Amino acid sequence: MSPIYNLYGVSDDEFNQSAEDSAKEFMDIAEGLFDLFGYDTAADNLRRYRSGEGGTESYSAEEMIKHPAYDDAIDHNRTMFESRTFTGSTDNKDAKKALFGLEDGKTISFQDDWDRNINSFNTYNFSRPSTYFAFGRSGVRSEGDFTATRNGDNLTISGNVLNRLGDNKSDTEKFDFNPGQIGSSEARILERAGTAKPFDMDYRRRQSVEAQARYEPDGTITLLKTLWGILE
């Protein structure tokens, strides 16, 4: 069968091979620049993507120390638990009902969660480019499981919070190229050729917490103190 020629005067096979070669060259340059600037996680992630391995890459705390934006996000979510969850001002109706409906001498269990976006436009893209190139537009979801005990006007809350990459729809973040992102057209070419594949990025840390609060005469809850354990 004769080859089919397109408007560029080359066969479809030649055209596809040329596009794939150009895409590989683009990724070679990007990978080399990441290595040159010391963006180790970004370079390693791009290499895994280009290997076509897929699967899940789990990151250690030591690796993530290079990306303080994630500890910043965890800290932000801790503040939300303190200022909103433990005072009953959370938007979570079940948690609010559990705390304000707690009877004296009783203990109940409840859950709450907070999300923090990272690397959104004009956030860390330029101030922390190594994190942006490594993880793209990602975030941290913090999910808390707590017990609350009431003794008169005193309220004791204790439990654990799981902090992880991802959002309320996924347990992990995916390393891929979004439409319109630099390199997205090259990525699609390589994925169609079977020489690149997105993979899941997994990072999670658990932390215990104990809080003391007080029911006020006006029907509000005041947080008195909070003790967070070590991130594990």
Side-chain angles (χ1 to χ4, degrees), residues 114-131:
W114 297 97
D115 298 304
R116 179 67 166 174
N117 292 329
I118 296 173
N119 297 336
S120 58
F121 187 68
N122 285 337
T123 303
Y124 292 112
N125 300 37
F126 305 107
S127 62
R128 292 171 176 171
S130 63
T131 300

Side-chain angles (χ1 to χ4, degrees), residues 81-225:
F81 282 116
E82 292 177 349
S83 63
R84 301 285 300 279
T85 300
F86 300 158
T87 63
S89 58
T90 174
D91 294 330
N92 185 320
K93 294 181 180 178
D94 291 336
K96 183 190 293 284
K97 181 179 179 180
L99 289 177
F100 284 109
L102 182 57
E103 298 178 1
D104 188 13
K106 300 293 186 179
T107 298
I108 51 93
S109 298
F110 70 99
Q111 293 79 39
D112 202 4
D113 54 76
W114 297 97
D115 298 304
R116 179 67 166 174
N117 292 329
I118 296 173
N119 297 336
S120 58
F121 187 68
N122 285 337
T123 303
Y124 292 112
N125 300 37
F126 305 107
S127 62
R128 292 171 176 171
S130 63
T131 300
Y132 176 71
F133 289 129
F135 299 101
R137 296 181 182 180
S138 54
V140 168
R141 180 172 176 82
S142 299
E143 300 172 333
D145 289 290
F146 309 105
T147 61
T149 301
R150 180 169 184 170
N151 183 9
D153 290 332
N154 297 313
L155 175 65
T156 300
I157 299 172
S158 61
N160 290 277
V161 174
L162 175 64
N163 305 283
R164 60 171 175 78
L165 288 178
D167 54 27
N168 60 348
K169 298 178 181 179
S170 175
D171 288 339
T172 57
E173 285 283 357
K174 188 172 291 294
F175 183 95
D176 57 6
F177 288 79
N178 297 317
Q181 182 180 351
I182 296 175
S184 60
S185 59
E186 289 82 2
R188 298 292 87 80
I189 291 171
L190 296 179
E191 288 180 22
R192 286 196 297 269
T195 57
K197 187 176 182 179
F199 62 90
D200 292 323
M201 300 180 290
D202 182 64
Y203 173 63
R204 55 192 64 214
R205 305 196 70 184
R206 191 177 297 276
Q207 190 172 30
S208 63
V209 62
E210 182 167 324
Q212 299 294 327
R214 181 178 61 232
Y215 289 95
E216 302 292 357
D218 62 0
T220 61
I221 299 174
T222 298
L223 182 67
L224 302 177
K225 64 178 180 179

Side-chain angles (χ1 to χ4, degrees), residues 56-75:
T56 301
E57 178 73 20
S58 296
Y59 302 90
S60 66
E62 290 74 21
E63 175 73 19
M64 296 301 287
I65 287 175
K66 306 173 187 175
H67 306 282
Y70 288 92
D71 280 341
D72 289 349
I74 291 172
D75 185 61

Side-chain angles (χ1 to χ4, degrees), residues 32-52:
L33 288 173
F34 293 159
D35 284 326
L36 178 65
F37 286 105
Y39 298 168
D40 298 337
T41 309
D44 290 343
N45 282 352
L46 186 56
R47 277 189 276 269
R48 180 176 182 127
Y49 172 76
R50 298 183 67 188
S51 74

